[in-house]
Amino acid sequence: MQSVTRGGVPVEVGDEFPVVGDTAPAFTLTDAELGERSLSDFAGQRKVLNIIPSVDTKTCAMSTRKFNEYASGLDNTAVLIVSADLPFAQSRFCGAEGLDRVITLSCFRHPEFRQRYGVALQSGVMAGLCARAVIVIDEQDKILHAELVSEIKNEPDYDSALAALKA
C-alpha cells in the first residue's frame, strides 16, 4: 500500500499507481450530461488526466483552472478532470469559472477507476475520494507521465506534465 499526506498526516492510497511506459487502464466515467465516457472515446488523441479529490477545494479548483488555460495551446489533446464529485457540481464549478476547454468526468458511479489508477484514498477524512494525480497518455494509450502528488494540498508539477506532451 502506498501513501500520500494531507497536511503532513499520512493517508493510505490503495492499489498500484501506473508508471511511465504502462498501457493506460481502460475506464468508464460519467460525463456532465450523465452519459458514459470511456478511454476509447478519446482514441487517437493525447490525454491529460487531472485527477483531483474535489473541485470544491482550493487546490483542485486551481489545477482545473490551470489545465483549462493550458488546454487552449494543446493540439490533439483531451484534458480530462476526474473526481468523485457529482457531475452537477463539476458543471456548476466550470460554468461559474468560465472553463470550457476541459472535460469533467466523475467516478461516482465507477469506483473501479480509483482502483485501476491507484488513486483510491483508503484512510482519513477523505477516504473514498481520489488522490491528487496527473497522468499524461499518448495517442496509443501509453503513459508518458505519471505523478501521484505526495501532499494532497500541493498542486501537481504542471511543467513536467506539459513537457511530456511536447516530447
Side-chain angles (χ1 to χ4, degrees), residues 42-104:
F42 304 98
Q45 291 181 285
R46 297 176 299 168
K47 283 83 53 188
V48 176
L49 276 60
N50 181 37
I51 304 167
I52 59 175
S54 173
V55 293
D56 286 325
T57 66
K58 179 182 174 183
T59 306
C60 297
M62 179 62 68
S63 70
T64 301
R65 284 184 205 106
K66 284 189 179 180
F67 275 114
N68 184 76
E69 179 184 329
Y70 297 139
S72 66
L74 301 173
D75 293 329
N76 194 37
T77 303
V79 179
L80 313 175
I81 308 299
V82 181
S83 71
D85 291 305
L86 292 176
F88 313 113
Q90 294 172 329
S91 293
R92 181 191 73 245
F93 172 78
C94 288
E97 295 282 330
L99 308 180
D100 59 359
R101 294 184 172 111
V102 295
I103 299 166
T104 56

Side-chain angles (χ1 to χ4, degrees), residues 17 93 123 125 131 139 142 161:
F17 189 69
F93 172 78
S123 63
V125 297
E139 297 89 341
K142 293 293 181 196

